[in-house]
Amino acid sequence: MATDFYLPPKIDRVPIKLSVITDEVSQDLSRIVKFAVEHSFEGVEVRTLWNLRPNELLERAGDIRRELSNAGLSVSAIASPVFKCNLKSDLEVEEHLKILKRCIELAKALDTKIVRVFTFWRSGSLDDLLEKILEKFMQAVDVASDEGVILAVENEPSTHVNNGRRLRQFLEAVGKPSVVRGVWDPGNDVWDPEGERPYPDGYSYVRGLFVHVHVKDGKRLETGHEFVPVGEGDVNWLEQVRALIRDGYNGYLSLETHWRPRQLPRELVEMPGGAAYSEAGEYASSVCAKNLKSIIARALAEVGE
């Protein structure tokens, strides 16, 4: 059975910490810092900055740390692209292990223990490929264990862990709760190929198994899905936030907007980052930040009654 991560349930009130993924606002750190401060966020999650991916940012870690510290901001996580690659390619897996080591160095330089990772591009069912995935993935676990960081596996429909049920299945198969946890992304569940509902269904599987939460929203359509402002889609964010509060979740809610006034191309959504991805992100993230804070205020008031 999975080890419970949460504080004791049914507490009246918990602090809600907010962060934003860097490139959902801009590639310019100063603009990201300004955004976070204006919206009363406590941190940022580092994905791309200055058109560089996390594994390319180590030489700028001092600058990042200094600017964030001056603004009273922390780093909630490193949003690495590790294992968004071909499971069958030993060359790609080896390259991603190198990327992981650089991302871990960045995490330590920026005082965070959480490095987000994935479970390889989806090429079949997790049931059929679990042993092969574990064979590759455990190499990363060994690295993380030695370095004292947490690998946070995200449910991502383009990978083998495509929903909450599969995330639980994978984490229990790994069986290393001190090193490998989850990133719960209810917004990703909206377009789960197995049709899982984010809340309450997906959440019921992952409750107690994650250290980080991504916040986005979307709607499932007959022809696919589209991203929408937080609170306007199929996630049911009000009930999800209520549940997080009731369960004593004390990690970050990290805004991963994805929505833009004009929908982003699929290739940018699956491998987000860079200037093209960040275009119009500041406006879109401002809308979503206001919506999210309104949802949290309502949830806190209702849970406290």
Side-chain angles (χ1 to χ4, degrees), residues 46 53-58 77-85 91-109 112-120 135-153 179-180:
V46 178
R53 297 201 176 275
N55 53 296
E56 301 169 322
L57 286 170
L58 191 57
I78 304 300
S80 89
V82 169
F83 292 153
K84 270 194 171 181
C85 66
L91 187 63
E92 288 188 27
V93 171
E94 185 61 33
E95 180 59 30
H96 275 247
L97 287 170
K98 293 177 182 177
I99 291 171
L100 173 63
K101 291 174 183 177
R102 295 280 288 179
C103 287
I104 288 174
E105 288 186 70
L106 181 66
K108 295 172 82 169
T112 181
K113 286 183 173 291
I114 298 174
V115 178
R116 187 273 307 273
V117 296
F118 297 96
T119 52
F120 307 97
E135 180 185 342
K136 307 292 187 184
F137 190 86
M138 294 307 289
Q139 298 176 69
V141 175
D142 290 341
V143 173
S145 181
D146 290 342
E147 295 291 345
V149 299
I150 295 172
L151 299 182
V153 180
V179 182
V180 184

Side-chain angles (χ1 to χ4, degrees), residues 4-298:
D4 192 11
F5 172 77
Y6 289 121
L7 299 174
K10 297 184 179 179
I11 63 176
D12 292 333
R13 204 173 172 90
V14 295
I16 297 290
K17 298 188 297 184
L18 301 179
S19 72
V20 63
I21 296 181
T22 51
D23 50 31
E24 296 289 354
V25 176
S26 175
Q27 291 296 310
D28 182 344
L29 182 58
S30 62
R31 289 180 64 181
I32 297 162
V33 167
K34 184 172 183 282
F35 173 94
V37 170
E38 286 180 349
H39 289 280
S40 302
F41 281 23
E42 287 83 3
V44 302
E45 180 173 349
V46 178
R47 189 160 58 197
T48 61
L49 280 169
W50 307 299
N51 294 307
L52 300 172
R53 297 201 176 275
N55 53 296
E56 301 169 322
L57 286 170
L58 191 57
E59 289 72 22
R60 303 292 298 271
D63 297 333
I64 297 169
R65 180 170 177 154
R66 190 176 308 108
E67 190 158 354
L68 293 178
S69 178
N70 287 342
L73 297 170
S74 300
V75 174
S76 63
I78 304 300
S80 89
V82 169
F83 292 153
K84 270 194 171 181
C85 66
N86 183 353
L87 173 64
K88 298 178 182 178
S89 171
D90 290 339
L91 187 63
E92 288 188 27
V93 171
E94 185 61 33
E95 180 59 30
H96 275 247
L97 287 170
K98 293 177 182 177
I99 291 171
L100 173 63
K101 291 174 183 177
R102 295 280 288 179
C103 287
I104 288 174
E105 288 186 70
L106 181 66
K108 295 172 82 169
L110 297 178
D111 291 331
T112 181
K113 286 183 173 291
I114 298 174
V115 178
R116 187 273 307 273
V117 296
F118 297 96
T119 52
F120 307 97
W121 294 125
R122 188 174 174 85
S123 58
S125 75
L126 184 62
D127 293 328
D128 294 337
L129 296 170
L130 181 56
E131 292 305 316
K132 291 182 180 179
I133 294 169
L134 287 174
E135 180 185 342
K136 307 292 187 184
F137 190 86
M138 294 307 289
Q139 298 176 69
V141 175
D142 290 341
V143 173
S145 181
D146 290 342
E147 295 291 345
V149 299
I150 295 172
L151 299 182
V153 180
E154 183 172 342
N155 59 293
E156 158 66 70
S158 63
T159 70
H160 295 96
V161 168
N162 50 279
N163 60 26
R165 182 167 71 91
R166 297 302 186 181
L167 180 55
R168 184 185 189 97
Q169 178 185 359
F170 183 73
L171 294 176
E172 291 185 341
V174 172
K176 299 276 189 180
S178 63
V179 182
V180 184
R181 291 282 184 165
V183 173
W184 175 227
D185 191 326
N188 280 349
D189 241 20
V190 169
W191 53 297
D192 168 41
E194 294 182 305
E196 182 180 271
R197 286 190 306 165
Y199 183 88
D201 298 353
Y203 181 69
S204 71
Y205 290 111
V206 301
R207 181 179 180 269
L209 300 179
F210 55 86
V211 293
H212 198 59
V213 175
H214 279 169
V215 179
K216 66 169 75 80
D217 211 341
K219 292 182 178 180
R220 184 180 286 272
L221 308 173
E222 289 185 8
T223 57
H225 72 281
E226 67 176 8
F227 296 106
V228 299
V230 171
E232 299 180 18
D234 296 335
V235 168
N236 194 352
W237 270 110
L238 178 59
E239 292 302 324
Q240 175 65 90
V241 170
R242 283 174 177 157
L244 291 169
I245 294 169
R246 286 194 303 267
D247 288 339
Y249 173 68
N250 61 355
Y252 279 90
L253 299 184
S254 196
L255 184 61
E256 189 186 20
T257 310
H258 269 32
W259 168 72
R260 301 288 187 271
R262 179 178 296 177
Q263 290 288 315
L264 291 164
R266 178 176 175 177
E267 60 270 19
L268 272 181
V269 171
E270 291 188 352
M271 283 296 289
Y277 182 80
S278 296
E279 186 176 351
E282 189 168 354
Y283 164 77
S285 292
S286 291
V287 171
C288 289
K290 291 173 184 176
N291 289 1
L292 176 59
K293 288 163 68 178
S294 176
I295 290 167
I296 291 170
R298 182 177 170 187

